[in-house]
Amino acid sequence: QQQVKQSPQSLIVQKGGISIINCAYENTAFDYFPWYQQFPGKGPALLIAIRPDVSEKKEGRFTISFNKSAKQFSLHIMDSQPGDSATYFCAASTRTPLVFGKGTRLSVIA
Amino acid sequence: DAGVIQSPRHEVTEMGQEVTLRCKPISGHNSLFWYRQTMMRGLELLIYFNNNVPIDDSGMPEDRFSAKMPNASFSTLKIQPSEPRDSAVYFCASSLSRGTHGYTFGSGTRLTVV
């Protein structure tokens, strides 16, 4: 019940395209859903987060879509750029520490 | 603020040796977390502290692992004795709360046990 399942493991997208990463969870008590971005040799950094009272949150080119009934949430990166190439982690929590997905390695090619 | 500071950045040690990883959290953050990252298992929570008190160490893999937080500005993760399967990147993170605020991660310590 504490797991967060993330897919795909890796993703290759053309520059200017849309990158989509999906996550699913089981624990209905989760009430905070962040996405983290990690570059090689660095720690994960908070990218964007959503709470279950809204279905979508947008910050620049990054959008989280949240489907409470399906217990799924996804990250959309519009107009993907080579600088977006990184590993992305979804996570979830309630009053307990964040549980992370296994990560998606995104490569944006020109 | 310099962010979460971890040391050393890299550590290579021989099997059986003691290893100590260090972390300085962001001032004012009251929660501190130690995570381990491997290709196979991703980011695993080892232990977390709230107001310097260990709350949950169920993620610590074995008794060879121990962690302390003697004050609000310093924490250590010790492995004694170290084994090759402990090789991983160890991250420290701090936050204003356990779950519903963003975590700030350090740059990690890459541990290699040979």
Side-chain angles (χ1 to χ4, degrees):
Chain A
Q1 265 219 335
Q2 291 297 321
Q3 284 188 326
V4 177
K5 295 183 179 180
Q6 184 172 346
S7 63
Q9 281 188 310
S10 62
L11 182 62
I12 300 175
V13 174
Q14 292 277 351
K15 178 182 175 182
I18 302 174
S19 303
I20 302 174
I21 306 171
N22 301 299
C23 281
Y25 63 97
E26 290 295 323
N27 187 348
T28 55
F30 285 149
D31 59 3
Y32 176 67
F33 302 89
W35 285 88
Y36 282 77
Q37 180 188 54
Q38 184 180 28
F39 292 105
K42 301 291 187 182
L46 179 64
L47 187 62
I48 186 172
I50 197 169
R51 298 185 190 274
D53 52 345
V54 296
S55 60
E56 186 175 281
K57 182 173 182 180
K58 184 176 181 180
E59 290 184 1
R61 296 184 295 108
F62 300 91
T63 300
I64 299 180
S65 296
F66 184 79
N67 186 329
K68 189 173 182 178
S69 61
K71 292 185 286 186
Q72 295 176 345
F73 59 110
S74 60
L75 176 69
H76 291 64
I77 306 174
M78 311 300 288
D79 187 27
S80 299
Q81 299 296 313
D84 297 330
S85 297
T87 300
Y88 293 81
F89 295 92
C90 63
S93 73
T94 171
R95 290 177 57 81
T96 53
L98 287 172
V99 177
F100 286 88
K102 290 286 181 67
T104 296
R105 180 170 291 185
L106 172 65
S107 298
V108 181
I109 56 176
Chain B
D1 197 329
V4 175
I5 300 173
Q6 289 187 247
S7 64
R9 287 298 312 275
H10 302 276
E11 177 78 43
V12 180
T13 191
E14 291 186 348
M15 181 174 62
Q17 296 298 306
E18 177 180 298
V19 176
T20 299
L21 311 182
R22 297 173 175 79
C23 175
K24 176 179 168 57
I26 289 176
S27 177
H29 282 188
N30 59 7
S31 294
L32 183 140
F33 312 85
W34 283 99
Y35 282 86
R36 178 171 68 177
Q37 185 175 37
T38 60
M39 289 294 294
M40 288 295 294
R41 301 173 71 90
L43 278 162
E44 300 175 277
L45 178 68
L46 299 177
I47 185 172
Y48 77 96
F49 296 83
N50 197 49
N51 294 322
N52 312 338
V53 176
I55 303 300
D56 184 356
D57 66 355
S58 60
M60 298 284 257
E62 298 171 33
D63 290 345
R64 298 184 295 106
F65 286 69
S66 62
K68 294 182 179 179
M69 192 166 186
N71 57 63
S73 59
F74 185 65
S75 177
T76 59
L77 177 67
K78 184 179 294 186
I79 308 172
Q80 166 64 19
S82 57
E83 296 183 4
R85 60 194 167 119
D86 301 332
S87 298
V89 181
Y90 291 81
F91 287 104
C92 173
S94 69
S95 173
L96 284 171
S97 73
R98 276 173 272 187
T100 55
H101 287 82
Y103 293 5
T104 301
F105 282 80
S107 294
T109 294
R110 180 174 294 276
L111 173 65
T112 303
V113 183
V114 298

